[in-house]
Structure formats: structure tokens, C-alpha cells
Amino acid sequence: TASARIQGAVSGVGGRDAAAATTQQWAQLVAHGWAQAAAISVGVGGGGGCDVGTRLDEDKLLVRVTKQNKALSKLESALSLLELHTCQRRMQSICADLKIHSLQLKAVPPHYYSLTYEQRIELLDGPSTFHLCKTIVLENTAWDPSLGSVFDDGYPSNARYYAVVVQYQAKLHADKVLRLVRSWTAGAPKSKFNFQLCPEHVSAQLTGYKHNAVAPVGYRHELPLILSHSIAELQPCFIWLGGGHVNLKLGCSVAQLVAATMCRVQDVTY
């Protein structure tokens, strides 16, 4: 798992020197771990023919294991910090390309999602809990690829998947999404539309982001974006969303987000 996390961090933007140093630490620790395992195997698992004097002293073994666990814990912390910094640099690069100049990125503690909305917005120094938003991915499970086309700006009128930005204090109205997308495809029967929350693993494959980390930009596969009209009416019109990492939150101007993504601002909540 740690090895996969190292590779993921290295593949991001920047952080290569830190990743190389961390990888070297990990390799040394793993090599040491194998040596420890071999010693334990000889000392403890040798059977009745093994001389008692060759066994590792239990107290010494406990000290070694404790030290190794502490080293592993430090390495895990270093990897988490590396992932966070790599994600931050990547998001800065993406938003710079999209001209989202209002971008703010803030790291939050691991217990962030156990906090109330009031505590979360206080951490982010936001104006109200209505400015806390999230991006979810919906799938049309009855999707017919033969229907629909694209608008003049390239926005698909009938995609299988849509990313939707809503407020935490609002509830997505799937029937409103159905009626909206169906209205974009003249003559399409209602039976060809059934929007459901996308399975978590499929969302991760499409966006490249884990649960509670989905950002409104920078997807692995292109997804059309819909933004709740209630968000566009906020004052100030600046929102906080997932930032690509579970411990990173992205703040930006709604107007700049809409301009950058060509998203549709529509009524899709209760």
C-alpha cells in the first residue's frame, strides 16, 4: 500500500526530490524488516532442534518491533504529507490553466468530516455553512448513446455521467436532473433516463479522486458539470469544495468556476 502511494505521489506534479528520499527510506526499512523476519524465523520457528541460546531475547525483540512500528508510523506521516503537497501543486497548476485566479487551498485535519458544518466553515474561515459544497457524480443507468448530441460550446446534451455541484445543506433532486437532461434531447422517451449516484469506485475511476476528495476540476476523464442555481445566488459568491485530497479543500469564485468549466447552472435540488 505504501509503495503504491509513493508511486502515485511521484506521478503528480513536483515533489520528486522528497519522493526519492522517502522511497529510499522505505526501501531501507523494508530490507531491515526482511532481515528481522529471517532472524525471528531462525530463532523462534526452528523447532525442537533449535538451540535455546540462538533464540532472540523476547525483550530485545519487543524493543526492535516497537522501534520498527515507530519508523513505519513516521514514514506513513511523511507519505501523507507528500501526497497532500503533490495534490496541492497539481490543483494550483490546473486552476492556473483554467484561469481560476481566486483559488484558495486549505489543509484540514483528518477528523474534518466528524465536525459539524459550523465547525467546518469556521476552519475554512467561510461566511456561512451554505458555502460548503460538494461534487458528486451521477450516472444515467438507462443511458442510450444513440440519443443526443452536443451544444455549440461542446457541452454534451446526453452524457452517461454528469458531475454535479450542490450545497451540503441541500439535497439533490434526481427527478429534476432527469427532466433537465431530457429537455436537452428533443423527443427522447423518459425511459431512457434514470439518474443514480455513481458507485464510489466508478466515480474514482472517472474523476481520479477518492471519496470526500472530489474536486470540480481536473478529472481523469472529461465530465460535464452541473452547478446548483442556489450556489450561484450566494453572497459572497465564493464556495468551498473538495480539493483532490481528503485533507485538502478548494475555495474559488463561482463565476470563475462557471466560466472555466462551461458548466450549466440549473435548479437540481430540493
Side-chain angles (χ1 to χ4, degrees), residues 91 113 133-137 163-164 200 203-204 207-217 219 223 241-246 248-250:
M91 200 56 62
Y113 284 101
C133 300
K134 59 183 175 181
T135 308
I136 58 179
V137 180
V164 185
E200 191 173 311
S203 175
T207 64
Y209 303 129
K210 298 177 181 178
H211 180 59
N212 286 335
V214 181
V217 294
Y219 299 139
L223 292 174
L241 315 95
H245 186 287
V246 70
L248 186 67
K249 300 305 158 196
L250 179 156

Side-chain angles (χ1 to χ4, degrees), residues 8-187:
V10 172
S11 65
V13 178
R16 296 179 182 276
D17 293 341
T22 307
T23 304
Q24 185 177 19
Q25 290 176 4
W26 177 252
Q28 291 172 348
L29 194 58
V30 170
H32 180 66
W34 278 113
Q36 287 281 71
I40 292 170
S41 176
V42 170
V44 179
C50 180
D51 185 77
V52 175
T54 65
R55 296 186 179 184
L56 290 175
D57 179 81
E58 289 185 1
D59 291 338
K60 290 182 179 179
L61 177 59
L62 180 59
V63 170
R64 289 183 181 181
V65 171
T66 301
K67 286 182 178 180
Q68 188 164 344
N69 284 338
K70 287 181 178 179
L72 281 169
S73 179
K74 287 182 179 180
L75 183 59
E76 283 291 316
S77 297
L79 283 171
S80 294
L81 191 59
L82 174 60
E83 286 178 348
L84 183 64
H85 288 172
T86 301
C87 179
Q88 185 174 7
R89 284 189 289 269
R90 177 178 179 270
M91 200 56 62
Q92 288 170 336
S93 176
I94 289 170
C95 289
D97 290 343
L98 292 173
K99 295 181 171 55
I100 302 179
H101 302 305
S102 58
L103 173 71
Q104 291 185 32
L105 293 170
K106 290 190 178 182
V108 296
H111 67 280
Y112 176 83
Y113 284 101
S114 68
L115 301 176
T116 64
Y117 293 156
E118 290 76 12
Q119 290 170 324
R120 295 182 197 180
I121 200 65
E122 185 177 357
L123 262 179
L124 298 170
D125 196 25
S128 80
T129 55
F130 293 103
H131 292 74
L132 290 173
C133 300
K134 59 183 175 181
T135 308
I136 58 179
V137 180
L138 297 182
E139 177 185 6
N140 179 4
T141 59
W143 181 64
D144 184 344
S146 67
L147 298 174
S149 57
V150 294
F151 293 103
D152 291 342
D153 60 0
Y155 191 93
S157 63
N158 179 38
R160 181 174 179 178
Y161 301 98
Y162 285 89
V164 185
V165 178
V166 296
Q167 294 159 296
Y168 267 95
Q169 291 197 317
K171 186 177 180 182
L172 180 76
H173 197 312
D175 282 343
K176 285 186 178 180
V177 177
L178 184 155
R179 292 196 294 270
L180 172 65
V181 178
R182 186 186 177 200
S183 72
W184 293 340
T185 309

Side-chain angles (χ1 to χ4, degrees), residues 180 184 226-230 264-269:
L180 172 65
W184 293 340
I226 298 172
L227 185 133
S228 170
H229 77 300
S230 299
R264 294 324 193 230
V265 179
Q266 297 287 338
D267 179 6
V268 290
T269 58

